[in-house]
RNA sequence: GCCGCUGUAGCUCAGAGGCAGAGCAGCUGUUUCGUAAACAGCAGGUCGUGGGUUCAAGUCCCACCGGCGGCUCCA
């Protein structure tokens, strides 16, 4: 059964949509990519007809996504033309279309500044105005080598192409090595704008020289370009670093790079999520443990982390021992497992841990809460028999679904990450484990796409990605099979047959790093947390000082029901207090004046601005308790 | 770590060789107010740090440290 499901699942690869030539989708900040309309063509080995019949179908008759792809691709050429004109000695590398636009990489005699972008953009507009025809043909490699004899990057690209001929595209006096996909003329570029210049390693390898990458934005119309820029501004308003400060949730300081200071309100949010996960752990049969922070490096040598990640671990000497601060929980959990005898009756054993992890991330990658050096995870390791494997994976799927629903995250998309270059275990084990994971996804009625070579060193993994409120995709949970540690830690259990067996081991996290999750969740909700997670659930706003006592009574009544309620007893007028609460995104405002005091009520207002009229306090309490206990995902 | 940009009050920003500024936030006082900002006053700074040029340096130069945007990495 698994095998047939497996084949079905593997087909997911074909439907995978990725920007061609674009960097792999990504990481850290780059994980946040606005969803792209660019659809997949065949990236590798385009057929001859693709190129010789470049303009066989009129540009205007192409599907819109193909037109956009070509506009962006041609814009990259026009950019390179402008750069070569500005710097005749420039070496040009690659210039693909990407989400939202295009880029081109150059090796230049000096660094570009923002004024240069203006100049280049003006020069590009001249090419657009000239409306030059873009022509392409297949030429023999030898001729291409002659044409690009002064262009080392192009020569390297030519060497890497397997065919006997390569694509050659021209417009005006500009020529480029290119597999094609272009507009008919330079006048068909739509609305574009040079965006920024950034460094990028040649072929993405940090051992190679760093080139200057010029990014451009490009959309079919001015309106769409403006809409994208507007969306980017909106995204900035949701930036968790900004909201973290505005909502008084956390701060970062150079005194502890990459280690957030959680403020009281942020801590409520943090602990709210931890409490929630603990509740699920009880329901799903997990056992929580607390293992050490500091281990003799022997542990990390056994697990393989020392060999694979020593540079990213904090290490120091103490009492002539070499100590490594824990970057992951799994070796500690394996050590716990190995410390006792286990019967098959104890399996599956699901060990969860929330304690703090430290990873010495390189300074350049740190980013708010989404890339930190100190964090904790809703991390767990499942030790089970081979028979139990499927059910354990399904159980994790159910839990993920539950969490996504409760948090209002919608349906995740799944990627299956396969064997990386640095890996433990045999190729056969990898293949088997990868198949198992893929099959479990399809038999759970879900689909996945492949992420070749992106697995952990100890095993293949499933990644769960969710799309946030403004269309950006984020990786959250993972499920991984471990092919190394059960053996390297000598894990054994006694089976029904009385013999020793090696358990299977599954790593899984649902929210992943709590820090990162909260960062993502802040941006997803724009700070409008559901009531059960809101640090302050209601603010009581007295109209005049004579209502202060009554406001205090209201707060006490609600606090008695376990609600987090504050009274705004400051000197502001009511309107200002409402504004303040609104900006703090407090779910409910309870305005109390003479009339409300009379009726033991409050004028209820929610953060969408709706006035819900005078409501008796006990009813407000009922409403809030219900909203909290059902974990209602309130409208924003 | 690498490339580029950037660093002035808690926050957002102006000042670009010649006395360190504004708005918001904060504090004090007046106002006691009916659904997104009452009014007045006060306080707030080694202009990221260190060095240099200059009669004079937020301002020019160098180094370092943060931050931002990319690249690389992400167990």
């Amino acid at each position: 059964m698994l095998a047939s499901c497996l084949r079905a699942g593997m087909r997911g690869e074909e439907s995978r949509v990725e920007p061609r030539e674009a960097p792999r989708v990504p990481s850290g900040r780059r994980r946040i990519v606005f969803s792209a309309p660019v659809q997949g063509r065949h990236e590798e080995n385009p057929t001859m007809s693709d190129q010789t019949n470049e303009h066989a179908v009129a540009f205007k008759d192409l599907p819109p996504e193909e037109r956009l792809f070509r506009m962006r691709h041609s814009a990259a050429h026009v950019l390179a033309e402008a750069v070569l004109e500005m710097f005749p000695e420039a070496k040009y590398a690659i210039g693909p279309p990407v989400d939202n636009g295009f880029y081109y990489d150059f090796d230049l005699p000096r660094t570009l500044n923002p004024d240069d972008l203006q100049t280049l953009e003006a020069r590009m507009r001249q090419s657009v105005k000239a409306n030059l025809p873009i022509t392409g043909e297949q030429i023999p490699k030898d001729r291409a080598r002659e044409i690009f004899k002064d262009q080392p990057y192009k020569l390297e690209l030519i060497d890497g192409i397997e065919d006997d001929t390569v694509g050659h595209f021209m417009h005006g006096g500009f020529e480029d090595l290119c597999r094609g996909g272009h507009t008919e003329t330079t006048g068909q570029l739509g609305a574009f704008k040079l965006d920024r210049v950034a460094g990028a390693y040649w072929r993405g390898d940090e051992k190679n020289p760093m080139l200057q990458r010029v990014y451009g934005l490009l959309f079919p119309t001015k309106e769409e370009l403006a809409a994208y820029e507007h969306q980017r501004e909106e995204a900035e308003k949701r930036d968790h670093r900004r909201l973290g400060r505005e909502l008084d949730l956390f701060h970062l300081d150079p005194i502890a790079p990459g280690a957030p200071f959680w403020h009281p309100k942020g801590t409520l949010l943090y602990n709210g999520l931890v409490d929630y996960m603990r509740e699920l752990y009880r329901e799903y049969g997990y056992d929580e443990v607390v293992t050490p922070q500091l281990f003799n490096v022997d542990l990390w040598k056994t697990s393989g982390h020392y060999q694979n990640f020593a540079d990213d671990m904090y290490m120091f000497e103490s009492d002539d021992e070499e100590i490594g601060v824990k970057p992951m929980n799994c070796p500690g959990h394996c050590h716990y497992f190995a410390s006792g005898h286990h019967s098959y009756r104890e399996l599956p054993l699901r060990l969860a841990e929330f304690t703090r992890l430290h990873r010495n991330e390189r300074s350049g990658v740190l980013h708010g809460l989404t890339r930190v050096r100190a964090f904790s995870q809703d991390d767990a390791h499942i030790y089970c028999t081979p028979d139990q494997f499927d059910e354990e994976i399904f159980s994790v799927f159910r839990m993920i679904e539950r969490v996504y629903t409760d948090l209002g995250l919608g349906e995740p998309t799944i990627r299956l990450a396969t064997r990386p270059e640095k890996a433990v275990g045999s190729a056969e084990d990898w293949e088997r484990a990868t198949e198992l994971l893929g099959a479990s996804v399809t038999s759970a009625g879900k689909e996945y796409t492949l992420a070749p070579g992106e697995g952990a060193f100890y095993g293949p993994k499933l990644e769960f990605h969710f799309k946030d409120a403004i269309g950006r995709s984020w990786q959250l949970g993972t499920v991984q099979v471990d092919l190394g540690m059960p053996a390297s830690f000598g894990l054994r259990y006694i089976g029904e047959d009385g013999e020793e067996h090696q358990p299977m081991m599954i790593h899984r996290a649902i929210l992943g790093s709590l820090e990162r999750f909260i960062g993502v969740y802040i941006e997803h909700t724009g700070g409008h947390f559901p009531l059960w997670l809101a640090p302050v659930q209601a603010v009581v706003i007295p109209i005049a000082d004579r209502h202060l006592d009554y406001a205090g009574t209201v707060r006490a009544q609600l606090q008695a029901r376990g609600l987090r309620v504050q009274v705004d007893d400051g000197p502001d007028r009511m309107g200002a207090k409402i504004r303040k609460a609104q900006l703090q995104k407090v779910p409910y405002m309870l305005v109390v004046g003479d009339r409300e005091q009379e009726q033991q009520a409050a004028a209820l207002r929610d953060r969408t601005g709706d006035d819900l009229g005078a409501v008796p306090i006990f009813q407000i309490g009922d409403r809030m308790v219900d909203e909290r206990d059902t974990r209602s995902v309130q409208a924003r």
Side-chain angles (χ1 to χ4, degrees), chain A residues 299 302 330-342 349 351 383 485-493 503:
Chain A
L299 184 88
T302 304
C330 36
H333 291 180
C334 288
H335 191 271
Y336 159 78
F337 190 96
S339 69
H341 284 101
H342 300 280
L349 177 65
L351 292 180
Y383 301 89
M485 284 183 236
S488 48
F489 280 90
L491 305 187
R492 292 285 181 273
Y493 68 92

Side-chain angles (χ1 to χ4, degrees), chain A residues 168-424:
Chain A
H168 176 252
F169 278 75
M170 298 184 66
H171 70 265
F174 174 81
E175 51 192 337
D176 201 354
L177 175 77
C178 179
R179 64 165 64 106
H182 281 285
T183 55
E184 290 153 351
T185 71
T186 57
Q188 295 166 317
L189 300 191
F192 67 88
K193 188 176 192 175
L194 293 185
D195 190 30
R196 54 172 53 110
V197 53
Y201 299 107
W202 165 237
R203 300 203 136 170
D205 188 333
E206 62 184 322
K207 288 190 278 295
N208 287 337
M210 179 157 283
L211 307 174
Q212 295 190 65
R213 174 170 298 177
V214 179
Y215 280 97
L217 304 173
L218 189 149
F219 291 88
T221 63
K222 267 189 292 199
E223 290 69 31
E224 283 160 286
L225 176 61
Y228 171 74
E229 290 190 280
H230 178 72
Q231 186 189 23
R232 196 152 77 169
E233 281 164 32
E234 287 304 303
E236 241 167 71
K237 285 184 199 155
R238 289 168 174 261
D239 190 311
H240 71 278
R241 294 163 299 184
R242 176 200 192 112
L243 284 170
R245 188 176 55 235
E246 287 173 2
L247 304 183
D248 197 16
L249 301 173
F250 67 90
H251 83 272
L252 288 152
D253 189 281
I255 202 72
F261 285 73
W262 288 99
H263 295 196
K265 285 178 183 169
T267 305
L268 280 165
L269 184 56
Y270 201 107
N271 286 338
L273 287 166
V274 171
D275 290 345
Y276 168 62
M277 291 310 299
R278 284 202 169 109
E279 200 178 308
L280 292 189
Y281 285 170
R282 281 191 290 277
E283 195 177 321
Y284 283 78
Y286 284 67
D287 293 307
E288 189 176 340
V289 293
V290 175
T291 64
Q293 294 296 119
L294 309 177
F295 290 90
N296 185 296
V297 291
D298 286 347
L299 184 88
W300 309 113
K301 286 178 179 166
T302 304
S303 69
H305 288 89
Y306 190 89
Q307 295 84 331
N308 287 289
F309 293 100
D311 287 349
D312 304 316
M313 285 178 62
Y314 290 102
M315 308 231 231
F316 61 92
E317 294 246 329
S318 176
D319 292 342
D320 292 329
E321 266 190 281
E322 197 181 357
I323 307 291
V325 181
K326 84 170 159 189
M328 297 202 80
N329 289 311
C330 36
H333 291 180
C334 288
H335 191 271
Y336 159 78
F337 190 96
S339 69
H341 284 101
H342 300 280
S343 148
Y344 71 95
R345 293 173 196 278
E346 294 168 47
L347 302 184
L349 177 65
R350 309 183 189 94
L351 292 180
E353 177 155 2
F354 288 107
T355 59
R356 210 141 203 79
L357 307 174
H358 289 82
R359 298 179 185 178
N360 192 1
E361 303 284 2
R362 303 207 267 178
S363 61
V365 306
L366 298 177
H367 179 89
L369 293 178
T370 58
R371 196 69 186 272
V372 291
R373 287 178 173 156
F375 59 98
S376 56
Q377 295 180 301
D378 64 325
D379 192 21
H381 299 95
I382 300 171
Y383 301 89
C384 64
T385 69
D387 287 351
Q388 294 165 335
F389 182 84
D390 278 3
E391 176 47 33
E392 285 310 303
I393 297 278
F394 292 151
S395 168
V396 172
F397 286 171
R398 284 195 295 274
M399 200 163 160
I400 287 173
E401 228 164 76
R402 169 81 174 276
V403 170
Y404 271 56
T405 304
D406 284 348
L407 289 165
L409 301 180
E411 185 76 14
T413 56
I414 305 174
R415 301 210 312 159
L416 174 55
T418 62
R419 191 169 197 240
E421 273 178 38
K422 277 202 278 187
V424 300

Side-chain angles (χ1 to χ4, degrees), chain A residues 499-552:
Chain A
E499 301 292 318
E500 283 194 339
H501 300 275
Q502 183 174 300
M504 292 187 78
M505 176 175 176
I506 301 165
H507 302 237
R508 50 103 284 180
I510 295 176
L511 303 176
S513 145
L514 268 299
E515 275 71 7
R516 178 177 154 80
F517 178 79
I518 292 173
V520 171
Y521 199 58
I522 289 171
E523 304 207 356
H524 175 58
T525 59
H528 296 94
F529 306 118
L531 184 118
W532 66 279
L533 284 171
V536 177
Q537 295 164 325
V539 171
V540 184
I541 298 175
I543 287 177
D545 283 355
R546 65 176 178 281
H547 308 118
L548 271 173
D549 282 350
Y550 176 60

Side-chain angles (χ1 to χ4, degrees), chain A residues 545 568-573 577 580:
Chain A
D545 283 355
D568 188 342
D569 58 1
D572 293 321
R573 292 186 174 194
K577 290 180 181 181
K580 247 159 78 180

Side-chain angles (χ1 to χ4, degrees), chain A residues 81-98:
Chain A
E81 178 195 14
V83 169
L84 286 172
E85 198 175 275
M86 194 167 172
F87 303 97
E89 67 276 55
K91 309 297 176 207
Y92 55 133
I94 58 163
V98 289

